[in-house]
């Protein structure tokens, strides 16, 4: 199973897991949100165009818990959100879904630590392969960022990362 966390930052203990993704095969994936960002309409700045597509820019917002409707600062910490105590169903589901599986992750130490800090679930023994390490082995002088790797190895993988990203964006916007 492929597993990934989405967070509101990078520093451990200062950032929260706001959702996670799982995939059981190469064609499907599921994203389970915990917190979603809601923009503050009063913070709308001038529209921005990228390749003739106009985007609204909101400079302020907050995170909303999808389970309770409760609002949090956009830089909420794990201690403030306290997913383990507020919503014990999430750690229980993660343990049930992932506790005995072999996991594929990209930058596994980050996801394992973020999952543990946020939910109390320890997945370190479930890590089967870390694709960031595999990329480093292939070329230690190139960045191991997932999107860059998908672009670099798109022919070997048989994918078009830009088209896939456009489809994903469209799905998320609906």
């Amino acid at each position: 199973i492929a597993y990934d966390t989405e967070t509101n930052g990078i520093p451990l203990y200062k950032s929260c897991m706001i959702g996670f993704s799982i995939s059981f095969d190469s064609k499907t994936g599921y994203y389970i949100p915990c917190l979603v960002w809601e923009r503050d309409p009063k913070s709308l700045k001038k529209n921005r165009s990228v390749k003739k597509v106009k985007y609204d820019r909101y400079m302020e917002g907050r995170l909303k818990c999808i389970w309770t409707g409760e609002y949090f600062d956009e830089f909420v910490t794990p201690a403030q959100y306290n997913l383990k105590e507020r919503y014990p169903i999430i750690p229980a589901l993660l343990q049930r879904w992932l506790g005995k599986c072999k996991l594929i992750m990209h930058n596994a130490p980050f996801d394992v630590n973020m999952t543990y800090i946020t939910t109390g679930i320890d997945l370190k023994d479930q890590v089967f392969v870390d694709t960031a390490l595999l990329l480093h082995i292939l070329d230690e002088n190139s960045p191991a960022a997932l999107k860059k790797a998908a672009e670099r190895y798109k022919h070997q993988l048989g994918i078009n990362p830009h088209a896939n990203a456009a489809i994903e964006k469209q799905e998320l916007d609906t």
Side-chain angles (χ1 to χ4, degrees):
I1 295 176
Y3 174 70
D4 185 40
T5 60
E6 298 303 327
T7 66
N8 65 339
I10 295 175
L12 295 172
Y13 297 100
K14 292 183 179 181
S15 304
C16 266
M17 183 171 83
I18 62 169
F20 57 93
S21 303
I22 55 175
S23 178
F24 305 99
D25 63 45
S26 64
K27 302 287 185 220
T28 56
Y30 303 92
Y31 177 68
I32 294 87
C34 298
L35 297 168
V36 293
W37 190 75
E38 276 193 3
R39 59 188 175 225
D40 179 356
K42 294 180 275 182
S43 72
L44 177 63
K45 297 293 181 194
K46 213 188 305 182
N47 288 347
R48 179 178 161 214
S49 293
V50 177
K51 296 183 181 179
K52 299 182 182 180
V53 177
K54 289 187 179 183
Y55 295 93
D56 290 335
R57 292 186 324 168
Y58 293 87
M59 305 310 286
E60 303 289 330
R62 57 190 178 167
L63 293 169
K64 180 180 180 181
C65 176
I66 66 152
W67 311 105
T68 65
E70 197 175 355
Y71 286 97
F72 297 90
D73 180 75
E74 131 179 55
F75 300 106
V76 63
T77 66
Q80 293 165 331
Y81 182 49
N82 201 353
L83 180 71
K84 291 181 271 198
E85 290 183 22
R86 287 177 191 261
Y87 319 105
I89 188 71
I90 300 299
L93 287 173
L94 278 172
Q95 183 64 47
R96 181 175 178 161
W97 293 340
L98 307 176
K100 294 182 180 172
C101 297
K102 292 181 179 180
L103 298 176
I104 300 169
M105 297 184 200
H106 190 82
N107 192 7
F110 179 82
D111 292 325
V112 166
N113 285 320
M114 188 58 71
T115 301
Y116 182 74
I117 290 165
T118 306
T119 68
I121 303 301
D122 187 356
L123 297 174
K124 73 177 175 294
D125 292 334
Q126 274 51 62
V127 177
F128 177 66
V129 69
D130 184 337
T131 55
L133 289 175
L134 293 178
L135 285 168
H136 181 73
I137 290 167
L138 287 171
D139 184 356
E140 67 184 42
N141 297 315
S142 292
L146 191 56
K147 289 178 186 172
K148 296 273 186 198
E151 176 60 35
R152 193 166 56 233
Y153 295 105
K154 64 184 176 185
H155 298 294
Q156 291 93 329
L157 295 170
I159 62 168
N160 180 338
H162 302 292
N164 292 356
I167 291 167
E168 180 180 327
K169 183 185 180 328
Q170 184 180 8
E171 289 173 352
L172 289 172
D173 286 344
T174 56

